[in-house]
Amino acid sequence: MIERFSLDMASSIGWEVIASDEGELRVARASDLSGEAYRLRVGETTTIEAASEAGVSCALTTLRQLGPDELWSVSTTAVERIDLPFVDIADAPRFAWRGVHLDVARHFFDVATVCRLIDQAAAHRLNVVHLHLNDDQGWRVEVPSWPRLSEVGSWRRSSPVGHEDAGVDDHETHGGYYDAHDLGTIREHARSRGVLIVPEIDLPGHAQAVLAAYPELGNADAPLEVWTRWGISEHVLNASEAALEFAEDVVTYVASLFPDSPVHIGGDECPTAEWESSVEARSAMIRHGFSDPRQLQGLYTSRLAGALRLAGHEVIAWDEVLDAEVADDTVICAWRSPSKGTEAARRGHDVIMAPMQFLYFDWLGSDREGEPVALAPVPFVTSWQKVYDFRVVPLDLEPELHHRIRGAQAQLWSEYIATRDHLDYMAFPRLCAFAEVAWGTAGTPEEFRPRLVEHLGRLRAMGVRYRELDPQ
Ligand code: TNX
């Protein structure tokens, strides 16, 4: 961490930072601390104490925040002296999971842009970046044993212009994918900043790009193309043993690129229409003694979860998997509403709170005229104030189940986010508000606002194209 910090200081202000036992910056392990807790004392000498590298990373972020905005500069701005306030800080996050999600399937973002989001996450003491790596509109990982996934499934002939409802298409090819080397770069970039990458392969729904590459894994008679519209495609994987094995194979391959990470298996929004009229699906239902096609999704969940557990990974899924049987040790990402988090916790699952009403940053940032096209119109608005008012632990959850809530995650779905600047605009300043919510220290928006205004200077130094605050 300290090496990373030193490199960051070299590029922002041209200083070399050295930590040593006798020097002005001392970093030590503290056995009385745990997790990401840290102590930071700035005086004649500066001392950091933490139990883990992640704790050191949080402390270094705090130290950097105490200095001038130049410390965050992306281009080198030579600074001669820095005055830091003398402080004595003991700090620890309330929640272990403080995540931001990026959909690289609807729009592909290159390695540099993903690494930039990792930097932004670390700057806000967020510790997870969740990558949504496939959807109906694109597959984003090269899988050597299934080459057509990237050769065919990564490229889309056309995309909607403006809002999907307008029915206008751009007729321009869009796409791209990461190979194992790219994902290794992303993984290491994150690791050295105290951030964990969580890969997601979303199956058996959201699979049209897979079916464009390998139609035999689907249910349709006619060939399919990578989907050129947004929404939820009816086309899903079929229920054959071959399709189940395909899913296990690709998910365990992607997991192998992130040996230390939990793996997200999606599982959201899987329409059953194709299964209802498929002879193959019906015979799979008979074979497994199922009465409802939904249970076929449960079959995917349990097979994928089983394969991942065998490979040593924890498993995460969207809350729809609760609609069928699901093993207790599957962590639930509650997105449809906070009450899905309550339901999951009561059913014995650990939970990541990601409710769309508060934490979907593809929603409008305000109800003012002139906002860029977003997923849905007013009243689907998530202002930074609304984000800041979100409380991670659901209000109706019994106190003895609070420990089930691991933390929270903000989502950047990218149907309507095609560029890096627009990504910044949608993410900020909402992500700043979210960072305090997830750390567990959020007060009121009124009290936060002056600190946010000050923090915007750091964002400017970082080159973040945030959404300006509205006048009060
Ligand atoms: C729901 S959240 C989805 C995504 C969309 C998003 C748009 C979830 C698990 N599925 O496929 O991109 O809404 O906000």
Side-chain angles (χ1 to χ4, degrees):
M1 294 301 153
I2 193 75
E3 296 76 22
R4 180 69 257 154
F5 182 71
S6 186
L7 289 173
D8 285 349
M9 288 305 107
S11 70
S12 61
I13 53 167
W15 287 22
E16 189 184 3
V17 177
I18 298 165
S20 71
D21 290 347
E22 284 82 41
E24 286 171 30
L25 176 61
R26 303 174 188 185
V27 179
R29 294 287 148 148
S31 53
D32 61 326
L33 296 177
S34 65
E36 294 160 282
Y38 67 89
R39 281 189 291 264
L40 168 65
R41 253 195 64 212
V42 180
E44 294 306 326
T45 59
T46 292
T47 7
I48 287 172
E49 290 176 291
S52 63
E53 285 290 295
V56 173
S57 171
C58 289
L60 289 169
T61 299
T62 303
L63 178 61
R64 206 168 167 186
Q65 267 178 282
L66 293 171
D69 294 346
E70 283 80 7
L71 298 192
W72 298 91
S73 176
V74 274
S75 55
T76 315
T77 318
V79 167
E80 268 181 30
R81 61 172 281 158
I82 292 172
D83 295 314
L84 295 176
F86 283 10
V87 292
D88 205 340
I89 295 174
D91 197 10
R94 171 154 179 223
F95 298 102
W97 190 287
R98 304 180 307 281
V100 56
H101 145 294
L102 177 63
D103 172 8
V104 293
R106 272 52 175 273
H107 282 104
F108 180 66
F109 294 97
D110 62 11
V111 172
T113 304
V114 175
C115 289
R116 190 168 171 272
L117 181 68
I118 293 166
D119 294 347
Q120 294 169 344
H124 292 80
R125 278 180 293 270
L126 301 177
N127 61 1
V128 171
V129 170
H130 163 180
L131 293 178
H132 182 75
L133 289 167
N134 75 292
D135 217 297
D136 295 311
Q137 297 84 0
W139 180 276
R140 304 289 173 229
V141 193
E142 181 180 57
V143 182
S145 52
W146 300 90
R148 287 174 59 82
L149 287 174
S150 43
E151 285 166 12
V152 176
S154 293
W155 304 100
R156 176 168 83 231
R157 183 178 53 75
S158 180
S159 310
V161 178
H163 199 275
E164 153 87 6
D165 293 349
V168 183
D169 302 295
D170 70 1
H171 304 287
E172 281 176 32
T173 304
H174 175 86
Y177 60 88
Y178 311 110
D179 62 18
H181 179 263
D182 294 332
L183 290 175
T185 303
I186 290 172
R187 185 191 63 225
E188 289 310 304
H189 188 92
R191 195 188 49 74
S192 69
R193 289 160 177 83
V195 174
L196 191 66
I197 299 292
V198 171
E200 176 190 356
I201 295 293
D202 192 0
L203 295 171
H206 290 277
Q208 189 166 325
V210 172
L211 301 176
Y214 294 102
E216 64 275 20
L217 300 175
N219 306 276
D221 299 331
L224 292 167
E225 60 173 0
V226 175
W227 209 19
T228 59
R229 308 300 298 163
W230 311 135
I232 307 168
S233 167
E234 290 286 291
H235 302 296
V236 302
L237 295 188
N238 67 39
S240 68
E241 188 54 29
L244 282 154
E245 280 173 14
F246 159 81
E248 287 174 339
D249 194 34
V250 294
V251 168
T252 47
Y253 170 72
V254 173
S256 73
L257 302 175
F258 298 93
D260 303 323
S261 294
V263 174
H264 199 302
I265 56 170
D268 60 316
E269 301 174 328
C270 180
T272 52
E274 285 192 336
W275 290 341
E276 273 151 38
S277 53
S278 142
V279 177
E280 200 172 33
R282 214 157 312 141
S283 73
M285 285 177 62
I286 294 168
R287 241 185 2 261
H288 293 282
F290 295 160
S291 54
D292 181 340
R294 269 274 139 249
Q295 291 171 284
L296 291 172
Q297 177 169 356
L299 178 62
Y300 267 96
T301 310
S302 67
R303 288 277 296 262
L304 292 177
L308 286 169
R309 270 183 216 109
L310 207 60
H313 295 271
E314 186 167 50
V315 180
I316 308 172
W318 298 113
D319 63 48
E320 280 96 331
V321 298
L322 295 170
D323 300 344
E325 202 138 311
V326 54
D328 286 354
D329 60 358
T330 305
V331 179
I332 302 296
C333 239
W335 75 274
R336 284 180 290 179
S337 68
S339 65
K340 288 287 164 193
T342 303
E343 180 189 339
R346 286 186 184 149
R347 282 173 56 179
H349 297 274
D350 277 5
V351 180
I352 297 158
M353 296 297 289
M356 60 178 174
Q357 299 82 357
F358 298 90
L359 299 182
Y360 271 32
F361 294 176
D362 57 336
W363 287 28
L364 287 168
S366 83
D367 56 7
R368 297 185 173 232
E369 293 277 305
E371 286 291 347
V373 176
L375 180 82
V378 177
F380 299 97
V381 175
T382 305
S383 61
W384 66 261
Q385 291 92 335
K386 184 166 177 190
V387 175
Y388 200 72
D389 273 335
F390 175 62
R391 289 298 169 263
V392 176
V393 175
L395 295 176
D396 57 350
L397 188 64
E398 296 72 14
E400 63 274 22
L401 293 176
H402 285 188
H403 69 279
R404 288 282 178 202
I405 307 298
R406 284 209 190 164
Q409 187 171 286
Q411 274 54 232
L412 286 160
W413 295 103
S414 65
E415 290 95 328
Y416 296 97
I417 306 177
T419 65
R420 183 191 274 205
D421 281 359
H422 195 50
L423 193 62
D424 279 2
Y425 180 92
M426 298 307 270
F428 293 96
R430 291 186 280 198
L431 206 62
C432 313
F434 172 72
E436 289 205 358
V437 169
W439 193 264
T441 46
T444 64
E446 295 70 36
E447 167 271 331
F448 177 54
R449 188 184 165 104
R451 278 185 292 124
L452 178 57
V453 169
E454 192 190 315
H455 183 64
L456 295 179
R458 297 182 196 110
L459 296 187
R460 282 191 293 276
M462 290 168 77
V464 176
R465 308 291 295 265
Y466 57 85
R467 182 186 183 283
E468 295 287 348
L469 305 189
D470 296 317
Q472 269 173 310

